[in-house]
């Protein structure tokens, strides 16, 4: 695909910057399209803050905006629902820009597949792929080995959860609650920690369950997932807990009222990039207790 390693990279969305830093090519990221509220690690934060910020909401990124950056390659997928990525890639290629996809999103894109790989395996594969593209294979391999070790340690820390049932809820300040089925990374995180996702049998990444489905699921644990943007009504753990407990339709779920069973979780810790390992560690620490 490339005659030589790209020199100028546009990282799109919250996953690409961390993946590129893990692969040892953070210095190639000249532009960033995405939120500055993402809880990046220190190294990635430095890279993102040093890059030209193209747009805060990557979903609103346009073909013209990508071309105007003058980059060699755009890496990421979180561009917008309904965007024909193959068509966009063709247009960009004709203009001299290659588009690479973050693999963790492939299951949700028509005509694409994850080839049966798990979400974490896709994260590792992306880091290794970028290592090959940029000629930093050894750095990428070391990063993947480190991530695998962290996943194993977090799994061990959580210990046996006695098949506790958990439900991942995506919480908005207004509107219906969402949840995540068996094709989501958060469901995989739960499985690694010995938990049974109430909606693990739903063959979707994301959907909106009915109140009856939530109550009948009788979860022992509730993961309250929220997206802080710096301008929303849900910016902290306390905000999301208060929001869930204010909803009368959830009164039939005892775990919502239990501080030990209601676990707030920043959305970015469940997305298909290295932050998912941080998320797994946070979840494991909460489950392990004091």
């Amino acid at each position: 695909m490339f005659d030589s390693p790209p020199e100028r990279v546009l990282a799109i969305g919250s996953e690409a910057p961390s993946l590129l830093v893990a692969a040892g090519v953070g210095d190639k990221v000249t532009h960033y399209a995405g939120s500055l509220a993402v809880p990046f690690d220190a190294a990635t934060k430095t890279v993102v803050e040093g890059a030209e910020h193209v747009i805060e909401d990557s979903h609103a990124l346009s073909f013209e905006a990508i071309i105007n950056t003058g980059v060699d390659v755009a890496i990421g997928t979180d561009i917008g629902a309904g965007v024909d990525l193959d068509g966009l890639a063709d247009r960009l290629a004709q203009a001299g820009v290659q588009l690479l996809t973050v693999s963790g999103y492939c299951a949700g894109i028509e005509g694409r597949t994850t080839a049966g790989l798990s979400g974490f395996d896709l994260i590792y594969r992306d880091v290794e792929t970028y290592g090959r593209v940029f000629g930093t294979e050894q750095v990428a391999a070391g990063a993947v080995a480190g991530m695998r070790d962290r996943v194993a340690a977090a799994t061990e820390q959580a210990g046996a959860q006695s098949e506790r049932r958990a439900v991942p809820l995506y919480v908005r300040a207004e509107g219906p609650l969402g949840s995540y089925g068996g094709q989501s990374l958060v469901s995989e995180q739960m499985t690694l920690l010995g938990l049974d996702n109430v909606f693990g049998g739903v063959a979707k990444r994301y959907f909106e369950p009915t109140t009856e489905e939530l109550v009948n699921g009788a979860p022992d644990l509730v993961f309250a997932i929220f997206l802080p943007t710096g301008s929303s009504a849900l910016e902290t753990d306390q905000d999301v807990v208060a929001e869930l407990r204010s909803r009368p339709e959830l009164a039939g779920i005892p775990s919502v009222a239990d501080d030990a069973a209601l676990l707030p979780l920043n959305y970015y810790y469940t997305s298909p990039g290295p932050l998912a390992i941080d998320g797994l560690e946070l979840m494991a620490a909460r489950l392990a207790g004091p």
Side-chain angles (χ1 to χ4, degrees), residues 65-184:
I66 296 175
I67 294 301
N68 288 340
T69 63
V71 298
D72 307 312
V73 60
I75 298 178
T77 309
D78 199 14
I79 297 174
V83 173
D84 177 3
L85 287 176
D86 290 330
L88 176 60
D90 289 342
R91 291 180 66 199
L92 288 171
Q94 292 174 17
V97 179
Q98 297 293 325
L99 177 65
L100 300 184
T101 300
V102 170
S103 297
Y105 284 108
C106 286
I109 302 173
E110 185 175 355
R112 307 228 177 168
T113 178
T114 59
L117 294 176
S118 74
F120 283 96
D121 285 339
L122 292 172
I123 293 169
Y124 307 148
R125 186 176 73 174
D126 276 350
V127 173
E128 291 167 345
T129 296
Y130 302 149
R132 289 193 297 272
V133 168
F134 290 91
T136 56
E137 291 94 336
Q138 290 186 341
V139 175
V144 169
M147 287 190 284
R148 289 184 184 276
D149 288 344
R150 289 173 60 195
V151 168
T155 303
E156 182 177 355
Q157 179 186 12
Q161 295 298 314
S162 303
E163 298 183 353
R164 297 169 80 187
R165 290 168 57 78
V167 63
L169 291 182
Y170 181 73
V171 187
R172 303 178 180 88
E174 296 179 359
L177 296 170
S179 192
Y180 295 86
Q183 294 181 354
S184 65

Side-chain angles (χ1 to χ4, degrees), residues 192-284:
L192 286 171
L193 297 174
L195 302 173
D196 178 18
N197 180 3
V198 166
F199 296 123
V202 177
K204 295 180 179 180
R205 176 184 175 272
Y206 177 84
F207 70 107
E208 293 180 356
T210 65
T211 298
E212 183 179 20
E213 288 173 322
L214 290 173
V215 174
N216 289 345
D220 302 302
L221 298 170
V222 175
F223 286 87
I225 301 171
F226 66 105
L227 181 61
T229 64
S231 60
S232 75
L234 299 180
E235 295 290 340
T236 67
D237 289 359
Q238 293 75 19
D239 291 340
V240 74
V241 167
E243 172 62 27
L244 271 187
R245 289 179 176 168
S246 73
R247 296 196 175 217
E249 70 269 27
L250 301 181
I253 305 177
S255 49
V256 170
D258 184 349
D259 287 341
L262 180 56
L263 312 176
L265 186 62
N266 187 317
Y267 167 82
Y268 291 114
Y269 290 125
T270 68
S271 59
L275 280 173
I277 287 96
D278 296 75
L280 187 72
E281 291 171 337
L282 289 171
M283 295 161 73

